[in-house]
Structures are given as C-alpha cells and as structure tokens.
Amino acid sequence: MESSDTCSAPFSQSPTSSNSSSPPTVVMSPCAACKILRRKCADTCVLAPYFPPTQPSKFTIAHRVFGASNIIKFLQELPESQRADAVTSMVYEASARIRDPVYGCAGAICQLQKQVNELQAQLAKAQAELVNMQLQQANLVALICMEMTQSPQQQSPQQSVDNFISTPPHSGGYQSGMNFLIEENTSLNSLWEPLWT
C-alpha cells in the first residue's frame, strides 16, 4: 500500500512507480476529519465512515467541543453497530453546547420538559371541563325524563298555554253566538227598510 494512505484529490491517480507492471491505484478524497486535521486518511481511518468529505461542518462542531483525540478514543471503545448513533449524539450535544455554553443539552431538555408539563396541565383542564359538561347533560336528561313521567291529567302551565294557542278562535259556542248576532242584525235591517222608502 504505497499510495493508498496519501490524501490527494478525488479519483486522482497516484504517480507511477519505477515498476511499470503494477497498475495505478485510485485514491479517494480524505474524510472531513482528516482534511480538517491536515493528515493522511488511511483505509482504516475510524472517522471516515461517520464524517464524509461532503459534511465538514459535522466534524468541525464535534471537534470544537470534544477534540479529535477524544472522538477517536470514544469510537474505538464502542462496537461498530453503535458508532453511528454515538457520532450523532456527539454532534447534537456539541451543537447544543455551542448555542448554550452554560446548560448545553440540559437546557434544551428542561425547555422541552416545561412545554410537556404545560400541555399536560391544559389536557387535564380540558378533560375536567368535558366531565363537567357530561354531568350537566346527564342531569338535564334525568330532569326531562321526570317531567315526562308525570300523569297526563296534571298539565303544566306551559301545556295549558300551548293548548289555548292551538285552539282556533272561531269554534264551538263562540261561533254559534256570532251567527246569532248576525241573524238578529239582518232581521232588524229588514224591519227598518219600509221607513226609508
């Protein structure tokens, strides 16, 4: 591995050696960590899978808070299945520490916990109002049922008013009395007719 450890431009070919029979070796671009640290990026670089050259800010943030040596040491102590999550956590915590140097992630967690508590209080208040409305509705339904179970002979004042309104004014005795008055009026008119002729 003569030229695989060198940090050259992407997909550039290494210079040919004196032995012309060996094929040229293609060297990939170094990872963002090695590019920022200005060192050779080996094939066994621990940082290469998690800090690609297209995301240099990712390593810059983590390096600013934790340091490159601590990041490498931390990743080497973890199994490969957990390293990606560890890098994500380190970058997130470093970003929070840069935004809030005093509290870091703890400040964001406290703010989110405060929002959760406020939402839980609002939810409990809404549930209490819902239970109160359900009780009022149940009481109203019970009151209506009690009124409906009363005897039909005992009509309420409202029912009497409704019956009076629904009864037509010209019916029964009232109508017969009006007819009698009309007939009497016509008979009197017939008596007074000769006086005017």
Side-chain angles (χ1 to χ4, degrees):
M1 301 294 291
E2 295 177 359
S3 57
S4 61
D5 295 339
T6 59
C7 292
S8 58
F11 298 99
S12 62
Q13 294 184 354
S14 62
T16 56
S17 60
S18 58
N19 187 2
S20 60
S21 61
S22 62
T25 305
V26 178
V27 178
M28 298 293 293
S29 175
C31 66
C34 293
K35 186 181 290 186
I36 292 171
L37 296 175
R38 297 180 181 180
R39 67 180 188 183
K40 295 179 180 180
C41 187
D43 293 338
T44 58
C45 179
V46 181
L47 304 174
Y50 314 106
F51 300 102
T54 57
Q55 298 177 354
S57 61
K58 188 176 179 181
F59 178 77
T60 302
I61 293 171
H63 174 56
R64 182 177 174 182
V65 175
F66 295 102
S69 60
N70 291 330
I71 295 173
I72 294 172
K73 181 180 178 181
F74 185 63
L75 291 178
Q76 287 176 345
E77 293 176 354
L78 291 175
E80 292 186 3
S81 59
Q82 299 178 4
R83 290 179 181 178
D85 294 335
V87 170
T88 303
S89 299
M90 281 191 290
V91 173
Y92 179 80
E93 188 172 351
S95 301
R97 181 64 63 180
I98 291 172
R99 287 194 305 267
D100 188 356
V102 178
Y103 296 105
C105 286
I109 293 171
C110 290
Q111 185 177 1
L112 293 174
Q113 187 63 45
K114 183 180 179 182
Q115 293 179 2
V116 169
N117 294 335
E118 291 176 355
L119 292 174
Q120 287 178 346
Q122 293 178 6
L123 179 61
K125 183 178 179 182
Q127 288 176 345
E129 292 177 355
L130 179 61
V131 171
N132 190 15
M133 292 177 65
Q134 289 175 348
L135 290 175
Q136 290 180 0
Q137 184 180 5
N139 292 334
L140 182 61
V141 170
L143 182 62
I144 293 173
C145 292
M146 288 176 61
E147 291 181 355
M148 292 178 64
T149 54
Q150 290 179 354
S151 60
Q153 289 81 10
Q154 297 177 351
Q155 292 185 348
S156 62
Q158 183 65 33
Q159 290 175 345
S160 301
V161 172
D162 294 340
N163 292 336
F164 177 77
I165 293 173
S166 62
T167 304
H170 304 293
S171 62
Y174 179 80
Q175 183 66 30
S176 61
M178 290 298 294
N179 292 336
F180 175 75
L181 289 176
I182 292 171
E183 289 174 1
E184 262 196 319
N185 192 14
T186 53
S187 62
L188 288 174
N189 288 336
S190 62
L191 290 174
W192 286 101
E193 282 177 2
L195 294 176
W196 295 103
T197 55

